[in-house]
Amino acid sequence: MLKLRNVQSYYGNIQALKDISLDVREGEIITLIGANGAGKSTTLMTLCGVVPARQGQVIFEGQDITAMAPEKIVALGISQVPEGRRIFPYLTVTENLDMGTFLRKDPKGIKQDMDHIFELFPILAERRNQPGGTLSGGEQQMLAISRALMSKPKLLLLDEPSLGLAPIIIARIFDIIKRINKESNTTILLVEQNANLALKVADRGYVMETGSITMTDTGQNLLANEDVKKAYLGI
Amino acid sequence: MDFDYFTQLFLGGLTRGSIYALIALGYTMVYGIIQLINFAHGEIYMIGAFTGLIVSSVLTMMGMPALGVVVMAAMAAVIYSSAYGYTMEKIAYKPLRNAPRLSALISAIGMSLFLQNYVLLAQTSDFLPFPSLIPDFEFWEPYAHMITSPELVILITTFVVMVLLTVLIKFTKIGKAMRATSQDQVMAALLGINVDRIISFTFVVGSATAAIGGILIASHIGQINFYMGFIAGIKAFVAAVLGGIGSIPGAVLGSFVLGWTESFFTGYISSDYEDVFAFIILVVILIFRPAGILGKSETQKV
């Protein structure tokens, strides 16, 4: 479904991605783990077209999207929940969700999906007229995921959904991620620093270090791997 | 204190404030979306007035009735100014989108000087008489000593423009996308919003309201020249900062505060110091509320 081939990206003159190749197949949950500054978020931003790749290729469903504008990539069915959630603070909860449907033209389907979201997250329904900025961290994360789902993505990119949240909330968020994957067959690429948690839900994982991928295996095998244990699981 | 005189000044200030508001909206919307003080915005307003003059002269010569002339002139001014606003953004600001903010600001000042001199060369440096497009309505005669018919038209037009703009920004899809873009451009792009198109649209809307302001005030004052955009632009900029730059209700409120300040001070103290009062009020408000009356003080969360 998604292929990255020898992708290199830069911020100005600083190379952030040295040579990234990875594959995501339809229906999978793939995780990308690694330390701060390894280039995980940059990988997501590159495949969304925000930080365009200088070299290499990004291919989505057979189509080369390497040099495409971000809004065109979204139209193909890739949606990102970026790091730090990036809720529009002065838009209401409903308006934030509306923005997720920006490219859709089926008012009925939008209405249905909105109701479905409010069923899934009753707290968002309760706060629907409140500005996004007034929500708690966990509520904002739910809103960010919901906003991304409103565009009906085929591939959902999640950047550190556990960041700054209480363990109980994290557990709920991860349950929801699994549910999204199963119920609507949405493929998921999950970037996490919380390697333990991420590898447990993932079919396969990639380990990143300073702009390169150093290891790849199934989630289970990576969990059992001695190097991964030492470096990322703190065991 | 003479109550009639007070009312007169109050309404005069309101009219002045309306004009400032029509221009200030463009400043504040553009600032809200790309954090740029568009110094060439006053020139867009001036170009609107010039277009209005040219079109209305031609149409009057052709014998069109007054009402038709006003509508056609206003439409022409809106379209022409919007085209200028759109082009200006593409030429002078878009290439500098990722440059330091100061570069774009200097580009804006350059654009302002360029447009002034271009109109100076293409038209004239003299003051040109502008016909009074808005007639004195008979039914308004009894109240005309308070507020004249043209002033009434200015007030009503401004009000209608504000209502339309509020509806546009609050309830339409593109309006919501404008707000989203102003709050987080990257996130907006990640949701499929074409940020370039939203920015262009903002320039077009801002230019259109400025053009309406240009025609109204030119017809009210009765003369125009190439330099008129500069002072009006500075005043509207003051109004936008007063109200809190980036905030649309702020720009409107700031404009009225400025309009009333000028009107009352000139009415009760002296008309020689009109501009002085305008800037004194700016300084005073910024001392106590640095972000402007309705401005949000920027707290950066890390």
Side-chain angles (χ1 to χ4, degrees):
Chain A
M1 180 181 220
L2 177 78
K3 286 192 191 116
L4 270 69
R5 286 292 170 265
N6 311 315
V7 170
Q8 300 188 22
S9 295
Y10 293 78
Y11 290 111
N13 288 323
I14 298 157
Q15 188 167 18
L17 300 183
K18 284 176 186 150
D19 185 31
I20 301 290
S21 297
L22 61 82
D23 289 274
V24 180
R25 289 188 284 268
E26 204 173 332
E28 281 187 318
I29 299 185
I30 299 297
T31 185
L32 197 55
I33 59 172
N36 257 343
K40 306 184 299 291
S41 300
T42 309
T43 306
L44 294 193
M45 286 302 181
T46 295
L47 69 93
C48 283
V50 175
V51 184
R54 257 193 226 174
Q55 243 153 60
Q57 265 192 319
V58 184
I59 295 162
F60 181 66
E61 295 192 314
Q63 195 176 350
D64 190 338
I65 61 166
T66 318
M68 246 185 221
E71 68 270 8
K72 300 228 167 81
I73 294 175
V74 179
L76 294 176
I78 300 183
S79 194
Q80 189 185 160
V81 180
E83 188 178 356
R85 309 180 266 272
R86 298 186 98 142
I87 293 299
F88 300 115
Y90 305 115
L91 296 191
T92 65
V93 168
T94 315
E95 286 172 338
N96 265 285
L97 292 173
D98 280 346
M99 287 296 101
T101 66
F102 190 75
L103 295 172
R104 286 177 65 180
K105 289 187 175 67
D106 55 328
K108 263 190 199 153
I110 290 174
K111 177 86 186 43
Q112 261 176 19
D113 289 348
M114 187 92 79
D115 290 341
H116 180 66
I117 292 287
F118 285 150
E119 242 169 71
L120 206 62
F121 303 108
I123 189 76
L124 293 184
E126 222 171 275
R127 303 198 187 290
R128 67 176 82 190
N129 295 321
Q130 232 169 281
T134 62
L135 267 53
S136 75
E139 289 161 3
Q140 285 193 8
Q141 188 64 58
M142 291 173 203
L143 178 56
I145 294 175
S146 305
R147 182 177 59 183
L149 288 178
M150 287 303 285
S151 71
K152 290 202 145 182
K154 296 175 199 163
L155 173 63
L156 179 64
L157 312 172
L158 292 160
D159 197 348
E160 306 227 13
S162 74
L163 194 76
L165 301 183
I168 185 160
I169 309 281
I170 297 177
R172 266 202 70 195
I173 299 274
F174 272 75
D175 274 345
I176 288 157
I177 294 172
K178 275 187 278 185
R179 246 178 94 181
I180 293 165
N181 174 251
K182 276 215 191 73
E183 284 175 12
S184 50
N185 197 33
T186 309
T187 313
I188 288 174
L189 178 53
L190 170 68
V191 162
E192 259 301 341
Q193 280 198 51
N194 191 335
N196 187 24
L197 208 61
L199 290 172
K200 271 183 193 153
V201 299
D203 298 308
R204 292 185 299 118
Y206 289 87
V207 181
M208 263 188 103
E209 243 170 76
T210 56
S212 311
I213 285 177
T214 53
M215 221 186 293
T216 174
D217 210 328
T218 63
Q220 291 307 318
N221 287 351
L222 284 176
L223 266 178
N225 184 294
E226 286 303 320
D227 293 337
V228 174
K229 270 190 188 167
K230 238 184 248 157
Y232 304 107
L233 302 176
I235 305 173
Chain B
M1 200 160 66
D2 184 352
F3 186 69
D4 260 14
Y5 186 55
F6 175 86
T7 316
Q8 219 175 336
L9 291 178
F10 178 85
L11 291 172
L14 201 63
T15 314
R16 240 176 226 259
S18 309
I19 296 288
Y20 291 148
L22 286 173
I23 313 171
L25 283 169
Y27 274 112
T28 217
M29 286 198 297
V30 165
Y31 185 86
I33 224 150
I34 52 173
Q35 284 75 51
L36 167 76
I37 310 286
N38 181 11
F39 273 115
H41 187 60
E43 271 57 59
I44 295 287
Y45 151 91
M46 176 266 291
I47 285 170
F50 268 87
T51 313
L53 177 61
I54 294 165
V55 172
S56 62
S57 311
V58 171
L59 290 180
T60 310
M61 238 160 39
M62 283 162 55
M64 197 183 232
L67 188 69
V69 172
V70 177
V71 172
M72 292 299 283
M75 265 168 50
V78 163
I79 293 169
Y80 209 62
S81 291
S82 299
Y84 266 94
Y86 177 86
T87 315
M88 178 165 77
E89 193 271 329
K90 288 275 178 269
I91 294 174
Y93 307 138
K94 190 169 176 243
L96 297 170
R97 193 74 55 74
N98 297 316
R101 265 200 234 173
L102 196 58
S103 313
L105 198 67
I106 291 165
S107 184
I109 293 169
M111 204 67 204
S112 161
L113 291 174
F114 170 78
L115 288 175
Q116 275 177 32
N117 286 287
Y118 154 73
V119 173
L120 167 69
L121 289 175
Q123 301 294 327
T124 171
S125 62
D126 299 334
F127 276 94
L128 296 172
F130 198 100
S132 182
L133 294 173
I134 304 157
D136 287 319
F137 306 122
E138 246 167 71
F139 74 88
W140 192 251
E141 207 58 52
Y143 316 100
H145 66 288
M146 286 290 185
I147 175 169
T148 63
S149 298
E151 284 172 335
L152 181 72
V153 170
I154 290 176
L155 278 181
I156 293 172
T157 311
T158 311
F159 182 73
V160 171
V161 169
M162 307 269 163
V163 170
L164 288 179
L165 204 61
T166 309
V167 170
L168 172 81
I169 286 172
K170 268 216 115 72
F171 302 110
T172 66
K173 194 168 179 180
I174 194 156
K176 283 183 215 169
M178 281 167 78
R179 282 186 286 150
T181 306
S182 78
Q183 290 168 35
D184 190 338
Q185 260 185 43
V186 172
M187 192 61 231
L190 283 176
L191 292 172
I193 295 168
N194 187 331
V195 172
D196 284 337
R197 202 172 293 164
I198 296 291
I199 292 171
S200 294
F201 183 75
T202 309
F203 270 85
V204 166
V205 174
S207 303
T209 56
I212 294 172
I215 285 236
L216 288 176
I217 197 143
S219 146
H220 185 47
I221 292 180
Q223 57 176 17
I224 61 175
N225 85 336
F226 74 97
Y227 201 58
M228 68 184 279
F230 183 73
I231 285 293
I234 291 274
K235 288 281 183 64
F237 173 60
V238 167
V241 172
L242 258 182
I245 192 140
S247 154
I248 288 174
V252 177
L253 183 64
S255 299
F256 287 138
V257 169
L258 189 66
W260 280 320
T261 308
E262 288 186 356
S263 184
F264 284 122
F265 276 93
T266 51
Y268 286 121
I269 299 171
S270 159
S271 60
D272 297 338
Y273 295 104
E274 180 188 304
D275 294 347
V276 176
F277 297 129
F279 291 106
I280 285 176
I281 193 87
L282 175 74
V283 171
V284 170
I285 288 193
L286 289 187
I287 286 172
F288 294 104
R289 284 197 63 95
I293 304 171
L294 296 182
K296 300 175 188 97
S297 51
E298 270 182 43
T299 39
Q300 290 246 338
K301 213 172 167 185
V302 252

